[in-house]
Every structure is written in C-alpha cells, then in structure tokens.
C-alpha cells in the first residue's frame, strides 16, 4: 500500500522487497523529520534517509503518508 501510494505521488524510495522498514532518501533528513512532526508524523532520520516503520501503521496511514512526505519535501 505504501509503495503504491509513493509511486502515485512520485516519492522516491530505496529498493524494498520485504521487512519492517522502508527508507526515503533525502538531502536533509533531520530538518525534514522535524517539519513532519508538525504534521504529527514521527519518523527516524538517518544520515541520508527518512526511515519509516511500516510495521507500525495500518493501511490507511500507509496510503496517506507518502503524500504528506512529498508535500513537505516540496516546501523545503
């Protein structure tokens, strides 16, 4: 569900086949993470990515999250 929604909005993600986490590569992950908190979205920032715990959300949340991230990226 997350990958389909990410594709629809044009959000780039690192290759994903299975597992609990997915990563969105970004240039300024900590800055974006702090801005996403304003949308009540809590992610982990690494050196070069936003790390998303797919295991912690339901399908509805997974469907809407890529658009929220993409919108925030476009504002920076």
């Amino acid at each position: 569900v997350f990958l389909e929604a990410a594709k629809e909005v044009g959000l780039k993600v690192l290759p994903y086949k299975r597992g609990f986490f997915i990563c969105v590569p970004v240039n300024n992950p900590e800055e974006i993470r702090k801005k996403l908190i304003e949308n009540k979205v809590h992610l982990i920032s690494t050196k070069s990515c936003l790390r998303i715990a797919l295991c912690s959300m339901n399908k509805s949340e997974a469907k809407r999250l890529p658009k929220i991230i993409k919108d925030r990226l476009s504002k920076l």
Side-chain angles (χ1 to χ4, degrees), residues 26-65:
V26 294
N27 292 330
N28 45 359
E30 183 59 19
E31 179 183 352
I32 295 166
R33 184 193 69 79
K34 288 177 181 177
K35 293 292 184 182
L36 284 167
I37 290 173
E38 295 170 9
N39 295 90
K40 298 182 181 172
V41 173
H42 300 275
L43 308 173
I44 304 273
S45 61
T46 67
K47 187 175 182 178
S48 60
C49 296
L50 296 172
R51 187 173 182 207
I52 301 162
L54 296 177
C55 58
S56 71
M57 64 182 76
N58 61 41
K59 287 182 181 179
S60 174
E61 293 168 332
K63 184 170 177 66
R64 69 182 183 85
L65 184 57

Side-chain angles (χ1 to χ4, degrees), residues 2-3 5-13 24 26 52 65-67 69-70 73:
F2 181 91
L3 291 174
K7 187 175 181 179
E8 287 174 11
V9 299
L11 180 66
K12 182 181 175 185
V13 297
V24 175
V26 294
I52 301 162
L65 184 57
K67 182 174 180 351
I69 295 171
K70 182 71 175 182
L73 288 172

Side-chain angles (χ1 to χ4, degrees), residues 5-24:
K7 187 175 181 179
E8 287 174 11
V9 299
L11 180 66
K12 182 181 175 185
V13 297
L14 294 181
Y16 175 80
K17 292 186 182 184
R18 63 184 173 270
F20 297 112
F21 302 97
I22 194 162
C23 290
V24 175

